[in-house]
Amino acid sequence: MNRTELARIAHAMTAKGRGILAADESTGTIKKRFDKIKLESTEENRRAYREMLFTAPGAADHISGVILYDETLRQSTKGGERFADLLTRLGVVPGIKVDAGTKPMPNFPGEVITEGLDGLAGRLAEYHQLGARFAKWRAVIDIGAGIPTRTCIETNAELLARYAALCQAAEIVPIVEPEVLMDGGHTLERCEEVTDAVLCEVFDRLFAHRVYLEGMVLKPNMVISGQKCPDRAGPAQVAEATLRCLRRRVPSAVPGIAFLSGGQSEAEATHHLDLMNRAGGLPWALTFSYGRALQASALAAWGGAPAQVAAGQREFLKRARLNGLATQGKYEPALEKQAA
Ligand code: 5MM
């Protein structure tokens, strides 16, 4: 394992002013996104959409890395440049989603386990050759009546740690993503309790598997009320509870934390990140690794029309720029009113 190189990449991924674009929607997920704009999910449409995002002028000023899906890592621009080469040329680190999605956990109704460890060492070697320098694995923890169970938390944490160790052996920085979902009617307090337990277990297993903390990036949920909670907590409470939870559970050796947006609106996700960075005095960099909160407006503006590429890129650049400001605590909600 080349620790110096792992630490260098992890730092580059979480550098101030920049963050990560999660464009690793699997074929099923991107189809759902395209359904919303009434666009068929063909390989060419998926390629064209990703090209629109990756070639947005100026976006690389605010985007440090892009998480790709297997298909996308093998695709190229219309002009024939491989996406991984294009991103590297722009100073953006290419990454790859390596989990194989979630499956129901036998004997644990309502809970899921992430698959993808079989053959992972071989796949990582190939991905490295194709240009990927970091990877992502997402574990999903749902909150509901009687869940999550200890067994679900422990099993998912163990899988995350084994994945992270395999990545580092292949000189690939692991993004460790334990996502506590914000679906449901739970309170912020319940989300904090579950997120705390999950992060505690994840770092216990990372330690047990001797994962080099300086060479990884954590991608957690924010501590937030469930979408259907009748009395949702405000932005200041979200920022405060999230920082309290992370300070308790994330060692300072971890260079950076890149949040998922998890179903928050674009503006909400940016505002929360900004408030946390305004707090200052944090031992790790705090940035974004958003999927929907970076892409929703861009996808709608593009709509699958070649004539709308520039409009889609403007929306993407706006979100990238505002989130870049939020990593520095320099975002103002009033900036949302400015044209893309
Ligand atoms: C880009 O979305 C990813 C979805 O992957 P699947 O198709 O396998 O479900 C997802 O893992 C994403 O990287 C994170 O959840 C962050 O995205 P959001 O939209 O929550 O910011």
Side-chain angles (χ1 to χ4, degrees), residues 22 24 26 29 97 136 138 177 179 219 261-262 290-292:
D24 59 313
S26 53
T29 303
K97 182 228 293 294
K136 191 201 89 172
R138 173 172 169 255
E177 180 180 2
E179 175 173 8
K219 176 166 173 170
S261 57
Y290 295 159
R292 287 161 286 180

